Amino acid sequence: MRLVVLDEIPEDDGLRRQWNALALQMQRPQVFYTYDWSLAVQRAYRQTLHPLIFLAHDDRSHDNKNSLIGIAALATDGKAHASFLCATTGDYCDFLSSTEHRPAFIAAVLADLRRRNVEKVTLTNLPADSPTVSALQRDAAESGYRSFARTAYICTQVALDRLERRPADNKPVLPGKKMVRRSLAAMGKESPVRLEHARSWDEISPILPQFVEAHIARFEATGRVSNLAQPERRRFLEELTKQLSPYGWVVLTRMMSGDRVLAWNYGFVFEGVWFWYQPTFDSALEKYSPGFCLLSKLVEDAAENPELRAVDLGLGAEEYKDRFANQTRETLYVTLRASAVQHVREIVRYRAAEIVKASPRVEAAARALLKRVRRPPKSPSQNAMPGKESI
């Protein structure tokens, strides 16, 4: 195995082909593993991310064009911390290789990171069922790292072949049927509610700014800030659309009545799975649960497509997702630390937090204490001018 390390992803069709071939060979392929996803991240976040790309080649291969056997798309903070390049954008992140090559590849990557004096490696959203997990546990110590893994998310999914179906017409039986029917009737008084799926760049590019505007407005209505308020995130979605649309992997879905958009989902269809990635809806229609209605219709559409086997509802524990889900997939937050002190400190901090969360009374007391500790003392000017923030 020969390891090549790059500080950026070259725009190379040969590498794209080999990279995506490896992604498709994974036990559970994900759109987040593709060359195109990583390239979109690099283009959008080049001001803040420093890619560190590990490519493993098999020098015994007689075909140099197909010698790539491993990829680890990482990034550094420019100091001593490394993480997955796609950690803040991908629902799942992993090392790409066959199961056979995974242990040797991971060992080679970790050894190289230690030679570079990388003190901490954070691997977010690593699937708990990936062979990478056992390889990390086995090889971390040999490379001078101490590993600690904890649950990051429990991702809910809808396995389409496990849906209950009506005997009369084989339609899926979905939650909240009566509510959805009433809401769709109320929202579709002027014109019946329908779904429209934009898949090509020409179809998506004119409506993508409208989706961004709707997402920002929805968050503002709830007193939060959308990640699409960040120019880098908007650039990322634009680059991602350009990269994925030629393959038909990206789908911007609109639930509409006439010309009015009721709800949106920026998602993906990849290897038999439809991803519920970034939804939003018109806040003026909140009483009709337009997001829930959109998901219901999307699952209904997916269930009618023989090429699809699941709808992945992605990161985030939300009650409405639980109502649809009939299976889950766990992801892990894994840290590798060179410092034994930092390693132990992290475990103790995590265990203490778990104990606090297990007792509502203890958690409330801890939150109150933290609030008092973090509250800065008032300056004379603040006492003289109540309500004015210090700068």
Side-chain angles (χ1 to χ4, degrees):
M1 180 180 293
R2 175 171 52 89
L3 204 62
V4 176
V5 186
L6 307 175
D7 59 7
E8 68 174 3
I9 302 170
E11 303 203 18
D12 182 306
D13 286 338
L15 177 59
R16 181 199 305 267
R17 178 179 56 78
Q18 292 190 73
W19 186 315
N20 288 345
L22 270 182
L24 291 172
Q25 290 170 18
M26 295 286 282
Q27 289 180 317
R28 299 180 70 171
Q30 305 291 338
V31 69
F32 316 107
Y33 299 165
T34 62
Y35 169 95
D36 308 273
W37 190 287
S38 291
L39 186 63
V41 170
Q42 176 175 279
R43 287 176 175 175
Y45 293 95
R46 63 173 63 251
Q47 298 300 319
T48 54
L49 280 180
H50 307 278
L52 189 63
I53 312 300
F54 294 86
L55 306 178
H57 293 269
D58 183 357
D59 280 344
R60 297 171 301 175
S61 173
H62 298 295
D63 183 358
N64 290 332
K65 294 182 179 179
N66 294 288
S67 66
L68 188 63
I69 59 172
I71 301 169
L74 305 182
T76 70
D77 61 359
K79 298 179 182 177
H81 180 207
S83 61
F84 281 128
L85 175 67
C86 302
T88 60
T89 61
D91 286 5
Y92 304 103
C93 298
D94 206 343
F95 291 73
L96 307 187
S97 74
S98 67
T99 302
E100 173 191 359
H101 292 125
R102 195 76 55 88
F105 176 48
I106 287 176
V109 171
L110 295 185
D112 190 278
L113 289 172
R114 283 301 291 129
R115 284 195 294 270
R116 294 170 184 270
N117 295 318
V118 173
E119 296 291 316
K120 179 183 176 183
V121 182
T122 304
L123 303 175
T124 307
N125 297 335
L126 175 65
D129 55 10
S130 169
T132 297
V133 177
S134 58
L136 285 171
Q137 292 171 342
R138 183 172 55 252
D139 297 326
E142 291 185 12
S143 300
Y145 288 111
R146 296 155 183 84
S147 67
F148 178 54
R150 56 190 184 274
T151 298
Y153 293 98
I154 302 296
C155 298
T156 50
Q157 301 174 337
V158 183
L160 300 176
D161 62 353
R162 294 174 56 189
L163 287 174
E164 180 185 353
R165 292 180 180 265
R166 299 195 299 257
D169 54 11
N170 204 38
K171 296 285 186 181
V173 178
L174 300 177
K177 177 183 174 183
K178 291 182 179 179
M179 180 275 287
V180 170
R181 186 168 59 244
R182 288 194 299 267
S183 294
L184 292 176
M187 291 186 289
K189 286 182 179 179
E190 302 299 325
S191 180
V193 175
R194 68 188 190 280
L195 294 191
E196 290 194 357
H197 306 296
R199 300 175 185 272
S200 70
W201 171 249
D202 289 342
E203 291 174 330
I204 296 175
S205 59
I207 60 176
L208 188 58
Q210 300 166 26
F211 163 72
V212 169
E213 183 179 343
H215 197 277
I216 292 174
R218 168 62 189 155
F219 270 67
E220 287 180 347
T222 58
R224 298 174 294 163
V225 179
S226 163
N227 59 12
L228 292 177
Q230 304 168 1
E232 296 86 357
R233 181 72 180 194
R234 297 195 297 272
R235 173 75 186 278
F236 169 66
L237 285 194
E238 182 179 327
E239 291 291 344
L240 194 63
T241 304
K242 290 177 181 177
Q243 291 298 119
L244 301 186
S245 57
Y247 303 100
W249 292 341
V250 62
V251 185
L252 182 53
T253 299
R254 295 181 295 171
M255 186 172 73
M256 304 186 69
S257 172
D259 294 331
R260 184 178 186 182
V261 183
L262 313 173
W264 308 71
N265 179 55
Y266 184 96
F268 316 100
V269 173
F270 185 81
E271 290 297 293
V273 179
W274 199 326
F275 288 87
W276 179 257
Y277 182 69
Q278 192 153 14
T280 194
F281 60 86
D282 185 342
S283 293
L285 302 171
E286 185 166 7
K287 64 180 179 180
Y288 300 119
S289 301
F292 189 95
C293 292
L294 171 59
L295 180 55
S296 182
K297 288 183 70 65
L298 190 148
V299 171
E300 195 173 67
D301 273 14
E304 298 301 311
N305 188 337
E307 296 181 0
L308 296 176
R309 67 177 187 278
V311 176
D312 194 311
L313 304 181
L315 306 182
E318 294 159 293
E319 187 272 338
Y320 78 94
K321 294 180 180 180
D322 293 337
R323 295 182 64 184
F324 284 92
N326 55 22
Q327 67 181 28
T328 60
R329 191 182 190 198
E330 181 185 7
T331 66
L332 302 177
Y333 183 94
V334 180
T335 55
L336 308 175
R337 291 182 181 270
S339 167
V341 172
Q342 294 295 330
H343 172 67
V344 172
R345 184 176 297 169
E346 179 181 13
I347 295 175
V348 170
R349 187 184 300 119
Y350 173 74
R351 301 300 184 202
E354 288 295 291
I355 292 171
V356 168
K357 284 195 297 184
S359 170
R361 183 178 297 178
V362 174
E363 183 177 14
R367 289 183 182 277
L369 177 61
L370 283 173
K371 188 175 181 181
R372 288 197 299 271
V373 169
R374 290 173 178 170
R375 183 183 298 139
K378 290 184 178 180
S379 66
S381 61
Q382 286 177 300
N383 289 327
M385 302 179 65
K388 222 172 162 51
E389 295 180 356
S390 60
I391 299 176

